[in-house]
Every structure is written in C-alpha cells, then in structure tokens.
Amino acid sequence: MQRLSLFATGLVVGTSVIAQEAMAQDAATGPQSDAAGNEIIVTAQKREQRLIDVPISIIAKTGLELQNAGINDFNDIAARVPNLVINETPANKQITIRGIGTTGNSFSFEQSVALFVDGIYGGRNRQYNQPFLDIERLEVLRGPQGALFGRNTGAGAISITTARPTQELSAEAFAEYEVRTESLNTTAIVNGPLTDTLAIRIAARYADENGWLFNETLDRAEPQTENFVGRVSMLWEPADNVEIFGKLEYSEVDIIGSPFELVRGGERPDYVKNSDDTLSPERDNADALNGVLQIDIGLGDHTLTAITGYSGYDFAQAFNIQGQSPTRLVAENAEEFTQWSQEVRLLSPTDGAFDYVIGGYYEWSESLVDRAQIFDFPPPFSPRTPDQIVERRFDQQTDVLSAFVQANWRFADQFSLGAGLRWTRISKEAEVEGTTTSFIVPPGAPVPPPGVLPRVTPIFLDGEFSESSFAPSASLNWTPDRNLTAYVRYARGEKGGAFSEFQGVTEATFFLEPEFSDLFEIGIKAQFPEVRGFLNVIAYTTDYSDLQRSALNIDTAEFITSNAAGARTRGVEIEGGFSPVDGLTLSAAVAYLDAFYTSFPNGPCTVDNPDANAPGGCAQDRSGDPLENAPEWTGNVAADFDRPVSDTLRVFANATLNFQSDVQFREFGDPLTVQDAFSKTDIRVGFGDIDRGWQLALLVRNLFEERTSSLIFPTFPIGLGPADRVHLPDPLRSFTIQARVAF
C-alpha cells in the first residue's frame, strides 16, 4: 500500500519536463495556438501522418525536447516513455518494451525491439550505443510491427529521423556543462544552400564526460567517456518530382572503466568501487560508420522510394565482471559488423477511398565476434595467474529477403479498414570455435605430472538454416472528425531463429527457434482544441510463443539459452494533457503492465529452490511467473511554462516527476536483484531572447538524489558472499548549465 501511495502522490503533485508534442510548446518556434494547429507528424506507416490518425501505440519526441532535457543517448530515454526499459548490461544494452526484450549479453541474438535510423534497420545491440545528434524526431512504437517494419519487431520498434538539409542558411551551437562531474557536451550545426537545388547540413558533437562512481583502488572516476559524432547530409532536388537525400555519419566512443559496483551483503550502492586492471584494463572502444542514400521520384500521384543503407561498426571491450579487487574474472569481447540493405517501395496518394504502400527489402550482414573469459582462482586451485582462459570465435552471415504491402480502405464516411502483410525469408550460416585452457587443480587433488597442464579443450560447431514466415496485420478505425480516432488492431511479430555464441554453448543449445507474437489492441486518441488538450487510452494483450531466453549459471559464468514455451503481456497505456492558460502546459503518461510466462516447464530455478545450486544447473516449471525487466507501473506527469516578460526577453521553466514500480532484473526470482519502486524529479529553468536566438538554462536532474540501480545481477561467486550483487547505480543529483545560440 505504501508504494501505491507513492504513485498516487506522484500523479497528483509531480510535474514533468516533457509533454505530448501535440500540444507542447516548441522552444524553437514559440507556443502553439491549439492542438490541431501544429500536430506532430510521424512516419510509423512509412508515410507522413498525424499521430492521431495512426492506429498504433506511439510516443513521439522532438529532438529539441530531448536536448533540453539533457537526453543524449538511449540510456536516458526510457524514463520519458512508459513501458520502455533500457538496461546497460556488462556487454550491451538490453531494450524492453511491454516486458519483452533480448538479453544484452549476447552478440548473436538480434533485438526484439528493432531500431530504424532514417529508415535503415538496426537489430544489433551495439547499434543502440551511438549518441544522439541533430535529431528531428524519435518515435517509440509499442507492440509488434511485423507487417511494415519486418522481422525482430515482436516487442516494438524505435524510429529516429535526423534533421534534413534545407535551403535556409542557418547555424546553431549548443553546449552543456555538468558541474558535479565536470563533464562537457557540445554540438554544432551548419545548414544552407550550395545551389538553388542542392542543400547541405553538417552536424558534429563532442563530449568529455566523467563518471559518477569513484574507484578507490585506481583513484579515478568511472566510467570516463569521450565521444565524437560527425554527420554530413545533402538534399538534391534536380526536378520538381525528384528528391535525393544522402547522409554519411561517423562516430567514435572511448570509455575507461565501467559503471558497475560490487555491493556486499544485500546493501544499496554507495557509489564507491574497488576494482583493478590486473588481468585486463576495463575499457570499451568503438567506432561506427553509417550511410544512407534515399531517392524519391514522383510518378504522377504516386511516389517511388528507394533507400540504400550501410551500417558498420567494430568495438573491443573488457570488464571486471565481479567489480572487485583482486580480479577473479575478466570478460573480453570484440566484434566487427557490416550490413548492407536495399528497400524499394511505392506509395499511393491518400485522397481517395483506397491507398496503399507496397515494397520489397533485401539485407546482407556479417558479424565476427571474439569472446574470452580470463579466470584467476585463489590458491589452492592454481599457483599461476591467470589459471583458466575460455576463448570463442563466432562468425555469422545473414541474408534477408522480404516483400510487404499495407492498404487502407475508407468504406464509409467515418470508418476505414487497414490491412498489411509481410513475407520474410531469413537465411543464416554460422560457426563457433574455440578452446578452454585450464591450469586448475581442485583442492585436495594430486598435482599432475609435468606436461599434463594446461588442459586444452577445443570446441567447434557450425550450422545453417533458412526460414520463411508471414506477418499480417489488420485494423478497424472509426474517425468521426479530425480530433477523434478509435481503433481495434491485430498484428503479428516475429523474431528470427538464432545461433548462440555463449561460452558454454553446446550442440543442443547452438540453435534457437524463432519466436512469434500476436497482438490484440484497442485504442482511442482524442484532441480538444479549445483547451489545447489531448487524451490517448490504449489497452492490449500480446501472446508470445517460443520466446528466446538465456539464463546465467553463476558458478561457471556461462549463459544457457533456450526457448520458453510461451508468455503473455497485457496492460493499459494512458497519456493526456491540456493547456489551462497561455504559456502553461500540463500532461501525464502512465502505463500498467502484467507480463508473465504462460508456459515455461524447463525454466531456470528460483533462488528458493533447494536444488538451485546443484552442480550442472537446475530447471523448474516457471509457468505463471512474472517476466523480468517488466515493472507493473511506469509513467511521468508534467508541467511546462514559457512566457515573455518583456519585448525582448522570455522565461521558461519545466519540471519532471518520473516513476516506476518494483522491477526484477534477473530470471532467478532473487529478492536481492529487485529495484524497489521510486520516483525522480527533474527541473529546468532559464531565459532567452524573444526571437529564440539564444537561451541559457539550468537543468537539475534527480533533484532529491534518489539512489537507484538500472541493473542488479549475481556474478561469479569465487571470493564473494552469498548476498553480494553487482549493481549499475544510476547517476546522483546533477547540475547542468545549458546554452544555445542560433543564427
């Protein structure tokens, strides 16, 4: 009851920095006159539409909103989007929508939540690691999106649209300085014409950030991050019916240390860690190159679009998986990834009773992964350091071919029927090879004669598969006027089959079957122009079959993969807001989620199972148990104020309260891996000139210094107590000075 009271209080008295765009005040252009006067445009159905007209659960944010709120990457965006959880695991990010996601510790599994940047697909965990730069709009689509967006969207999709060049000559500079950690983030943008038909836009971002943890052993703050992102984009319009957009983007991220703290005895983090670099310095170094070429040709009333995409990256990382000194286990990971894709689609006009999108898609990718685990067992296991090394190399090639169609039929004045279908064929071939080199001598065992050690155990597995599937969707929509839409929707999602590259992989666990999802959703979206208001209410239920899962065996530090028989997620999402007076906007967003396994007879054992620590692992029936990373309640409430105080000056202020109920991070039902319910408040105040040419602001995040963790997990137990856990503590209170100048 105490936690329910916390959320009830938060809903009544809290405020938030970000309101729904349909009625928010745009800090670049001034307050809006009403909700219908500047409705946000989204591309969730591969054409520009008002958000209210799209029968999908969508949260959309402008790039300016994200920048004002100090949101520079995916780690920060989850607090603004109910039912979105993002965990920074030791290896990768784990993205979860409505309780469904993919383990972040795998480099071979693709995400259940796909990323699209300017229409280019990104299903790899590492493609979520690049900082935000010059974004026009970010859209979070909740629920399966298989018909139009394709495979690996069984939980949802995130679409980013970067700002395009225009013929208007302009420049902008933005900088922010965080006082407590002495961190700097700068962005510069230049836009303008090269000729009457050719425009260019150049954007760059540089950040030098110090971490929020202090490593006493190494006498430094962690993690220390330096990153650079640069982008050049061009827009050429050689004829009235031809538009050619090209973009090339390069990024570099270098991290020293890690954000993980070992917390002993079931306590909470104190933001002090003690880890060393004995076996391998903790680091994460990555660079990426992405390119897009999009050609739009008007063919009468139709538009033919061709999008060619390239995405490539390589990275190398090492981390102390226990977060302690002396180091007992270090994991090293590296990957080189390359992807080419081509999409062609034809869009019909929308002014008749019938409209459609039809197209085809091809993709080729290759991933080369190197993984190693370096162990140092204390005496008397082995007299040397290190005394066991597990190495794996994983090579995978993927080919994808698909065709899709989406059609809408307005069969009556107020009713329309939408239907979509996508056929996809996925072909993968992969091999994993490696060795386990061990000098370990169990306590009490005789010392082997010379030449016996080290023991070298090789492994080699290879395989290939090809699978085809159909992903249909359908919706019935009622639109009595432009300010009200109600709909019922069905959609199927798919996540393709996968090979495992985990250190403990065997022939039995090398291949995972594809997973499927079936969504039933009902929603209503309304606008109230007289008070510049909106209200969206969406209810859904989604059934998942053959859910891909992995469980950690902490005694060997190995992940065991399997397909859970089934899971179900269901809930309600509500967003609403209004503007009671000019210059003031109030809004709220809340989501309720009930996510559980419908069938999981061979799931990992919970900690209260007597056989939980049995040699070789333990399995039990987990049917009916809740999913991990699926908090029951998430949301925020909001207020935003922006008014002129003279002919030349304006002031603005906004505040945020984000809240979340208890969340279990791991699959063992361990009470020590639960983050309790919390709420956090952010405030931002500032002033600027009336024409929006400059502004200065102070952003305070986590005002009341709530101490929370965005991940908690058990780890390799050698040298640790039974209640010791590794935490990823969230940043404490921060004070950021922001300045923007536009010409």
Side-chain angles (χ1 to χ4, degrees), residues 146-229:
L148 274 180
F149 283 89
R151 78 191 199 284
N152 303 326
T153 57
I158 298 177
S159 176
I160 293 177
T161 302
T162 61
R164 288 200 169 192
T166 67
Q167 285 289 321
E168 180 181 356
L169 181 62
S170 63
E172 179 183 336
F174 174 80
E176 58 182 15
Y177 179 76
E178 203 288 303
V179 176
R180 196 166 185 177
T181 60
E182 299 180 339
S183 299
L184 178 68
N185 171 26
T186 60
T187 299
I189 303 167
V190 178
N191 177 92
L194 295 178
T195 70
D196 291 343
T197 60
L198 180 64
I200 188 170
R201 190 177 184 92
I202 302 173
R205 178 183 186 270
Y206 172 78
D208 188 358
E209 301 171 344
N210 295 308
W212 54 95
L213 304 180
F214 184 73
N215 190 326
E216 291 183 329
T217 302
L218 298 175
D219 190 29
R220 70 188 185 195
E222 293 187 16
Q224 298 177 12
T225 303
E226 185 177 17
N227 64 59
F228 169 80
V229 187

Side-chain angles (χ1 to χ4, degrees), residues 645-657:
V645 293
S646 72
D647 292 339
T648 59
L649 194 67
R650 54 180 265 271
V651 297
F652 51 88
N654 29 56
T656 297
L657 185 137

Side-chain angles (χ1 to χ4, degrees), residues 118-439:
D118 291 325
I120 303 303
Y121 166 79
R124 313 290 295 179
N125 293 5
R126 279 275 157 171
Q127 288 169 298
Y128 280 89
N129 277 21
Q130 297 180 49
F132 293 161
L133 172 65
D134 196 22
I135 290 177
E136 177 182 315
R137 184 177 64 255
L138 182 146
E139 303 170 32
V140 179
L141 286 66
R142 298 177 292 201
Q145 309 294 329
L148 274 180
F149 283 89
R151 78 191 199 284
N152 303 326
T153 57
I158 298 177
S159 176
I160 293 177
T161 302
T162 61
R164 288 200 169 192
T166 67
Q167 285 289 321
E168 180 181 356
L169 181 62
S170 63
E172 179 183 336
F174 174 80
E176 58 182 15
Y177 179 76
E178 203 288 303
V179 176
R180 196 166 185 177
T181 60
E182 299 180 339
S183 299
L184 178 68
N185 171 26
T186 60
T187 299
I189 303 167
V190 178
N191 177 92
L194 295 178
T195 70
D196 291 343
T197 60
L198 180 64
I200 188 170
R201 190 177 184 92
I202 302 173
R205 178 183 186 270
Y206 172 78
D208 188 358
E209 301 171 344
N210 295 308
W212 54 95
L213 304 180
F214 184 73
N215 190 326
E216 291 183 329
T217 302
L218 298 175
D219 190 29
R220 70 188 185 195
E222 293 187 16
Q224 298 177 12
T225 303
E226 185 177 17
N227 64 59
F228 169 80
V229 187
R231 179 192 306 140
V232 177
S233 54
M234 303 182 75
L235 183 64
W236 184 34
E237 300 172 286
D240 291 343
N241 66 329
V242 178
E243 185 175 280
I244 301 174
F245 169 70
K247 182 192 78 173
L248 191 64
E249 178 180 291
Y250 173 78
S251 68
E252 225 178 84
V253 180
D254 295 301
I255 301 174
I256 298 173
S258 77
F260 300 100
E261 175 190 345
L262 176 64
V263 178
R264 296 188 181 274
E267 298 297 323
R268 304 305 297 175
D270 62 4
Y271 292 76
V272 175
K273 62 185 293 186
N274 286 280
S275 62
D276 59 47
D277 286 342
T278 302
L279 299 181
S280 185
E282 287 196 293
R283 65 197 184 277
D284 196 324
N285 308 112
D287 59 74
L289 181 66
N290 298 286
V292 177
L293 177 63
Q294 178 172 333
I295 303 174
D296 295 294
I297 302 175
L299 302 175
D301 292 335
H302 290 66
T303 301
L304 179 66
T305 299
I307 305 177
T308 304
Y310 170 81
S311 179
Y313 64 82
D314 62 80
F315 81 92
Q317 68 170 186
F319 53 89
N320 181 337
I321 201 167
Q322 291 183 316
Q324 72 156 349
S325 179
T327 301
R328 296 302 180 197
L329 173 58
V330 165
E332 294 184 335
N333 302 307
E335 182 183 15
E336 296 179 9
F337 176 78
T338 302
Q339 172 186 297
W340 289 93
S341 63
Q342 179 66 57
E343 178 175 316
V344 178
R345 64 176 182 253
L346 182 68
L347 278 73
S348 74
T350 59
D351 52 1
F354 183 77
D355 63 76
Y356 61 87
V357 178
I358 186 170
Y361 176 81
Y362 174 75
E363 175 196 314
W364 174 90
S365 66
E366 181 174 22
S367 172
L368 180 62
V369 177
D370 287 292
R371 306 193 73 165
Q373 288 181 317
I374 306 170
F375 294 83
D376 181 25
F377 291 89
F381 289 95
S382 171
R384 72 185 305 278
T385 299
D387 43 34
Q388 180 167 293
I389 301 175
V390 181
E391 296 177 294
R392 297 289 183 266
R393 166 163 282 205
F394 176 79
D395 189 1
Q396 175 177 274
Q397 291 191 21
T398 303
D399 287 273
V400 180
L401 181 66
S402 65
F404 59 88
V405 61
Q406 170 87 17
N408 293 287
W409 176 36
R410 286 167 286 278
F411 60 89
D413 287 343
Q414 299 181 3
F415 292 91
S416 63
L417 183 66
L421 182 65
R422 190 180 193 107
W423 168 82
T424 301
R425 187 189 70 197
I426 304 173
S427 300
K428 291 185 179 182
E429 56 182 61
E431 65 178 41
V432 59
E433 59 180 332
T435 58
T436 299
T437 304
S438 178
F439 293 86

